Every structure is written in structure tokens, then in C-alpha cells.
Amino acid sequence: MINTQRTTPAPERIAILLMPQFSFAGLGAMLDPLFIINWLAQEPRFKWQLLGSDATVAASNGVPLSVATEWPTPAELDSVFVLASFETKTYTGDKRIAMWLRQCAAAGVALGGIEMGSEVLAAAGVFDDHQVAVHWDNLEGFRELYPRIQATRDLYRIAGQRLSCAGGTAVLDMMFAWLTPRVESPYMEELRNHLLERRQRRDDSEQLSAAPEHHVETSAQLRKVIRTMRRTLEAPLSAPAMAALVGLSPRQLERRFKAELGVSPIRYYLWLRINRAHRLLQQTDLSVAEVANCAGFGSLEHFSRVYRRFFDCAPSDDRLQSRDAPVVPVRLFPVKR
């Protein structure tokens, strides 16, 4: 037992709203630190309840959880977290959810979004004019849908009564940061010991550190070309123009790409463009023609043909980000193996 002298506070009251196909790992990363602090303190510092629209909500891994369908009033809560991963478009228009979240916001309840739970909060209008950490795979679609929100590549953001987390292992980083001002230092140290995690990444640590342009092994010339590619997906540059950026001939640039990434620069460029199209199709309501234009395809027929080659389906058949939706086959990944 840790010896601390203090007055027992009222427990912090937390509601966790689970959307169908939420991340089971994300929920565990939230709840385990709360449980451990309660256990170490031998008192309920935190009380939480799981909520949902139906009596049972299944996680993305298929595990079902029982939840409460009668939601507490804002006066009964201190914080609300929303967890979502797949098929977010199917419930961002849910009026009951939006109204309840807006009532919580008006009452001063802290609101947090985990992974695509942030989109549920954004759709309710309670994240307007805030910085929001969004998972890299959803960033382009999120920015298209919510221009009033500053979507970032940060791991998580905590700003007053608004919290957001890109998901994955960053949930634990966010929980450490969120708990630190609420819990005595000895308890936090012991929490880290029990979770076997001594580090805590900063909130503004950027995602996608594994992308080739961030590798120290990737040459400076290729890093510059890839960054330019990402900025010009709507109007792709020609091979000679890309090579000229770094003082190489097209043939030299191709040899460099194949040596470092295992693919040609044109193939890598195409992979970036088709993945933008894939995300915009699944995450937004843009038409197929608009998506094709955003990915630099002047011909809808050419776009459809290339899309089928990558995803084995027509673009019009890939309009929802779900567990069963197509993904890029590993054999097509442009990374040298």
C-alpha cells in the first residue's frame, strides 16, 4: 500500500459511449489505468459506465459487451468518451447521440473522442474550432467533412474540456496525460510499473513515423520526392519533373526508387493516389467522379480500371469503411521486403 494522507474526493463520473465495431483494445487501454488507480487507492477514484444504443454492442473483433441504453443526464457526469472505429458514417447522423452530446457540452462535461469517436463528436458540432487528433488513415476524409475543425496528425490532444486520441497504443499515452493532474505522483508511478510502461509520448508526437520519407535510411532525394508526391496527388507530376526536383535523370530516379523501396516512382505515386481515393470513397459522401479528381485521375474510366486492379471491386462498391471492406493486398505494398 502507498501511504498518502488526503481527503477522499468524490469519484470522477465517466460515461463511455460505444459505437458498433469500436476498438476493444482502445477500451482496455482506457479502463485498465482507471481500474488500477482505484485498486491502488483502495477507493473508487473513478466510476464508469458503458453506454450504447442497443443492449449489446460488438467490438470490431466480434466480442459483445452489455451496455446501458438509458443514458445519464449531464448533471450526473464529469466526462464522456466516445469510442468508434468502423462504419462511422452510419451513425454520425443519429439525432439522439448528437443531442445528448450537445447537452453534455452545454453543461460543461468534458468530451473525448477515441479513434473515430472524434468524428461522432465532430458530427454533433461539439468539436468545432478545436484541434483534434485523427488517425492517419482517416485524416483526409475527416478534413473534407469537418473544415471547421483543425484535424492534426498528433497522437492525442487535451485542451480544457475537449480530448481526442488517434487510437492504437496512443490511448495509453493519453490516459497517462489525462490522469497526471488528477492522481498523486506515487500512484502514477505505481500505475506505470504495473502496466510495464515507463515512457509517455508527447501529445504532439506525429503519426506515420514509419513512412519512407521519415526513414533515416531513405536518401534525402527520395524523401524530397515523396513529400512532393503527397502534396501533388490531385495534379500528379511527370517522371521528368520529379527527377528534376532532385537533380537526377528519370532513369536515375527510377533506379533509386527500386533500390530503396522496391518499386518505380510512378508506381509509388499511383499507390499514394489510389489510397487517397480509397479513403475518400469510404469516409465521405463525395461522388466517384469527385474522388477520382481528388486523386488526380482525369478519366473516370481509367480511375475505375486502376481501382479494380488494386481492390478487386468498382469504386462505387467501396463506400463504407467497414471490417469487410477491401484493403490493399500486401503484395501491392510499395515497400522493399
Side-chain angles (χ1 to χ4, degrees), residues 192-319:
R192 296 174 191 278
N193 289 338
H194 278 282
L195 290 175
L196 307 179
E197 183 56 270
R198 301 300 306 170
R199 63 173 185 164
Q200 179 187 327
R201 290 173 292 182
R202 291 165 48 98
D203 56 356
D204 58 356
S205 298
E206 189 170 321
Q207 303 168 46
L208 271 185
S209 59
E213 62 265 40
H214 298 300
H215 286 183
V216 294
E217 297 87 355
T218 304
S219 65
Q221 289 170 314
L222 257 63
R223 290 200 298 268
K224 181 176 180 179
V225 170
I226 293 171
R227 292 190 182 106
T228 302
M229 286 178 172
R230 290 190 186 276
R231 291 195 301 267
T232 57
L233 297 180
E234 293 187 25
L237 301 177
S238 66
M242 287 188 289
L245 282 172
V246 289
L248 297 175
S249 69
R251 185 180 296 275
Q252 288 173 321
L253 182 64
E254 179 153 349
R255 283 201 298 265
R256 190 71 63 82
F257 257 82
K258 287 184 175 178
E260 296 189 34
L261 297 182
V263 294
S264 69
I266 295 301
R267 181 70 176 180
Y268 190 86
Y269 214 169
L270 181 61
W271 182 82
L272 292 176
R273 292 162 56 205
I274 211 69
N275 270 279
R276 166 181 274 189
H278 179 58
R279 294 175 189 125
L280 291 177
L281 284 168
Q282 291 189 344
Q283 298 164 18
T284 75
D285 293 320
L286 292 173
S287 70
V288 173
E290 289 172 317
V291 169
N293 187 60
C294 288
F297 291 90
S299 163
L300 193 56
E301 181 182 353
H302 180 220
F303 171 59
S304 296
R305 188 166 59 251
V306 173
Y307 203 87
R308 281 185 180 277
R309 194 158 73 240
F310 273 82
F311 296 103
D312 199 29
C313 73
S316 57
D317 294 333
D318 191 14
R319 298 312 310 256

Side-chain angles (χ1 to χ4, degrees), residues 49-231:
Q49 52 186 316
L50 305 182
L51 311 178
S53 296
D54 298 312
T56 301
V57 180
S60 57
N61 62 5
V63 175
L65 291 181
S66 297
V67 299
T69 55
E70 293 295 326
W71 302 350
T73 65
E76 301 173 271
L77 296 170
D78 298 302
S79 302
V80 170
F81 289 90
V82 183
L83 274 69
S85 292
F86 290 101
E87 300 190 9
T88 317
K89 283 199 298 186
T90 61
Y91 40 79
T92 49
D94 189 303
K95 293 182 180 179
R96 182 195 181 197
I97 293 174
M99 182 177 296
W100 184 68
L101 291 173
R102 286 195 289 266
Q103 290 171 345
C104 288
V109 177
L111 299 173
I114 305 299
E115 201 172 332
M116 292 316 295
S118 293
E119 183 171 358
V120 179
L121 290 157
V126 297
F127 267 179
D128 285 357
D129 304 316
H130 285 80
Q131 288 189 328
V132 175
V134 179
H135 191 282
W136 62 266
D137 196 33
N138 294 89
L139 194 60
E140 286 180 290
F142 193 99
R143 285 173 172 166
E144 178 70 32
L145 290 169
Y146 307 104
R148 291 191 58 181
I149 295 172
Q150 186 180 341
T152 75
R153 294 181 182 273
D154 297 343
L155 292 181
Y156 60 96
R157 297 293 302 177
I158 300 177
Q161 295 295 86
R162 298 292 183 270
L163 305 86
S164 58
C165 181
T169 58
V171 178
L172 192 57
D173 297 290
M174 184 201 72
M175 290 304 295
F176 284 156
W178 186 73
L179 286 169
T180 295
R182 290 168 166 77
V183 175
E184 300 93 319
S185 294
Y187 289 138
M188 287 302 300
E189 286 301 303
E190 197 64 12
L191 171 65
R192 296 174 191 278
N193 289 338
H194 278 282
L195 290 175
L196 307 179
E197 183 56 270
R198 301 300 306 170
R199 63 173 185 164
Q200 179 187 327
R201 290 173 292 182
R202 291 165 48 98
D203 56 356
D204 58 356
S205 298
E206 189 170 321
Q207 303 168 46
L208 271 185
S209 59
E213 62 265 40
H214 298 300
H215 286 183
V216 294
E217 297 87 355
T218 304
S219 65
Q221 289 170 314
L222 257 63
R223 290 200 298 268
K224 181 176 180 179
V225 170
I226 293 171
R227 292 190 182 106
T228 302
M229 286 178 172
R230 290 190 186 276
R231 291 195 301 267

